[in-house]
Amino acid sequence: MKFEKRIPLSTPTMHGEEMTFIQEAFDKNWIAPLGFNCDGFEAEMATYLDGTASKMHCLALSSGTAALHLAMKLAGVKVGDPVLCSDMTFAATVNPVVYEGGVPVFIDSECETWNMDPAALELAFAKYPQAKVVVLAHLYGVPAEMDEICTVCARHGAVLVEDAAEALAATYKGQPCGTFGTYNVVSFNGNKIITSSGGGMLITSDKASRDKALFWATQAREPAPWYQHEEIGYNYRMSNVVAGIGRGQLLHLDEHRDTKEAIYRRYEQGLSGLPIKMNPYIAESKPNFWLSCMLIDEGCSVDPMTVMQALADANVEARPIWKPMHMQPVFADNDFITAADKPVNESVFARGLCLPSDIKMTAEEQAGVIEIIKSCF
Ligand SMILES: *Cc1c(COP(=O)(O)O)cnc(C)c1O
């Protein structure tokens, strides 16, 4: 079989309210960075995360990567500092460490969530007792083992930066991802659970840190009648038009999450009986199920690339698991710490596959995708 219309991995799903916010920006000729949509988006996100908008302070930025860069500066990463980072993640989690001259040390994952292994993190602190910053990503919207991670960070007096770019609307013990770290980041890139076409947010409970990040993000202009600069600045603010899209999308975030979960459940059911597991999560957490992934059982001779090719032949997009950072040529000289005999991430990368998880995929289309996967076994 072959789908006439391509079945994508994850694309934007718009609803219409986005246009209302954009229209207002046009009507008021407010097409600049900053403005009422940025203010509204930040306040509405803070409310989404803490219910009252009294605890968390948000800063809308041009990308999640920009937010991570400012988080590195707030965390005080300096040239030569070892920074303990998730290994199984997208490169944007760790590139900002390098922008500031830090040296990423990659931490293997555990098997329960495919996220940073607290035991490996502890080993990393033993080897790098001077490490003061941890950058943790929640892969594919599945929360990491946050109690254990936070305990290890606290024991070593380290600042936690949480990369929740893939995990907006996921929770751990009822607490939203993006609120565990001292500095937290979400992304509204086109493929994420909600999108502003491109953008991100820095989230922190420390108002002064939020204001400092705003200062850097707007070219580090000192209060003076002329352009006065005492620090290096950046042009990282979100535009008022883009923020309008984000505001419209935020109204549908929980609905997107529920649809993503339904997709995951259909895979889980449809693929049961095969030598396959879905990407795992722990009972304490509620993932946002941003991407559904399958993991072929150890010892099974089917290669995920064979499945990916069969899907591609049918006009269906699948993608390998994010290649671990310690296996990337650009980080060939960086250290990698594992607590396992055989690195978990290498095994997951070799056996896993990201499956189409698009919100607009119908149950019938997904049934077709499942049939193709089954035919490979
Ligand atoms: C998408 C993503 C980012 C980067 O976000 P952008 O808004 O695209 O810059 C960072 N970390 C992770 C884990 C991501 O998936």
Side-chain angles (χ1 to χ4, degrees):
M1 76 169 289
K2 185 167 169 140
F3 289 96
E4 232 159 83
K5 195 176 101 256
R6 186 164 168 77
I7 308 287
L9 199 70
S10 181
T11 59
T13 300
M14 294 292 135
H15 299 275
E17 285 99 333
E18 298 87 355
M19 284 308 293
T20 315
F21 292 107
I22 294 175
Q23 191 61 50
E24 195 183 347
F26 274 70
D27 291 345
K28 294 181 174 161
N29 196 34
W30 206 310
I31 316 294
L34 312 171
F36 58 89
N37 275 332
C38 290
D39 298 342
F41 194 21
E42 289 170 353
E44 286 148 16
M45 181 61 76
T47 305
Y48 180 86
L49 291 172
D50 74 14
T52 61
S54 58
K55 282 210 308 281
M56 297 320 268
H57 304 279
C58 298
L59 181 66
L61 296 164
S62 53
S63 70
T65 309
L68 280 158
H69 184 191
L70 297 181
M72 291 306 110
K73 290 175 71 76
L74 288 168
V77 172
K78 296 282 181 304
V79 175
D81 288 355
V83 176
L84 311 183
C85 300
S86 285
D87 177 59
M88 180 87 97
T89 185
F90 183 60
T93 305
V94 300
N95 284 339
V97 172
V98 182
Y99 300 167
E100 287 303 301
V103 181
V105 172
F106 299 117
I107 313 296
D108 201 12
S109 301
E110 28 76 10
C111 299
E112 311 295 317
T113 74
W114 296 359
N115 288 306
M116 186 185 279
D117 179 3
L121 182 61
E122 189 66 68
L123 290 177
F125 275 113
K127 188 163 176 186
Y128 297 94
Q130 75 276 35
K132 281 282 161 272
V133 179
V134 172
V135 184
L136 169 126
H138 305 281
L139 190 70
Y140 304 136
V142 174
E145 295 180 341
M146 291 316 295
D147 278 355
E148 292 81 356
I149 294 286
C150 290
T151 302
V152 176
C153 287
R155 186 181 301 136
H156 298 279
V159 169
L160 176 65
V161 175
E162 200 191 337
D163 177 357
E166 300 175 3
L168 182 59
T171 59
Y172 175 90
K173 293 189 173 173
Q175 183 181 338
C177 289
T179 65
F180 286 89
T182 305
Y183 310 110
N184 310 280
V185 168
V186 295
S187 164
F188 312 111
N189 192 34
N191 60 349
K192 299 286 160 44
I193 192 156
I194 59 169
T195 182
S196 62
S197 81
M201 253 185 218
L202 179 74
I203 301 159
T204 174
S205 61
D206 180 39
K207 176 83 167 48
S209 293
R210 188 257 178 209
D211 293 345
K212 184 75 201 197
L214 171 62
F215 167 77
W216 284 323
T218 48
Q219 309 283 21
R221 287 154 61 170
E222 300 291 339
W226 46 84
Y227 286 143
Q228 174 83 7
H229 300 285
E230 295 169 16
E231 287 183 68
I232 297 298
Y234 304 85
N235 183 3
Y236 275 175
R237 266 303 239 166
M238 183 180 276
S239 108
N240 195 47
V241 176
V242 159
I245 307 177
R247 292 181 83 179
Q249 285 272 289
L250 190 55
L251 300 170
H252 295 274
L253 175 55
D254 287 335
E255 174 192 321
H256 283 198
R257 187 210 160 273
D258 292 348
T259 308
K260 294 275 192 185
E261 175 162 10
I263 291 168
Y264 181 97
R265 299 290 168 219
R266 286 200 288 265
Y267 279 127
E268 190 174 48
Q269 227 215 327
L271 298 173
S272 66
L274 295 179
I276 284 177
K277 308 273 179 304
M278 295 302 293
N279 53 323
Y281 62 93
I282 47 176
E284 294 88 332
S285 76
K286 266 182 81 173
N288 69 4
F289 300 99
W290 172 57
L291 284 190
S292 288
C293 306
M294 57 176 246
L295 185 70
I296 299 172
D297 287 353
E298 228 155 346
C300 173
S301 62
V302 177
D303 186 315
M305 291 306 115
T306 310
V307 180
M308 190 169 93
Q309 190 55 53
L311 290 168
D313 291 345
N315 208 14
V316 177
E317 185 185 12
R319 187 171 292 176
I321 297 293
W322 293 184
K323 186 174 182 179
M325 289 302 115
H326 82 275
M327 296 170 75
Q328 300 286 357
V330 69
F331 294 121
D333 295 336
N334 291 61
D335 202 359
F336 168 66
I337 311 278
T338 180
D341 299 333
K342 185 172 149 227
V344 170
N345 289 348
E346 291 177 20
S347 171
V348 171
F349 177 61
R351 295 186 290 127
L353 189 68
C354 302
L355 300 174
S357 308
D358 194 63
I359 288 170
K360 293 175 295 312
M361 176 170 64
T362 66
E364 278 144 33
E365 288 169 333
Q366 192 178 349
V369 171
I370 289 169
E371 282 315 309
I372 296 161
I373 298 170
K374 278 182 166 171
S375 72
C376 298
F377 288 84

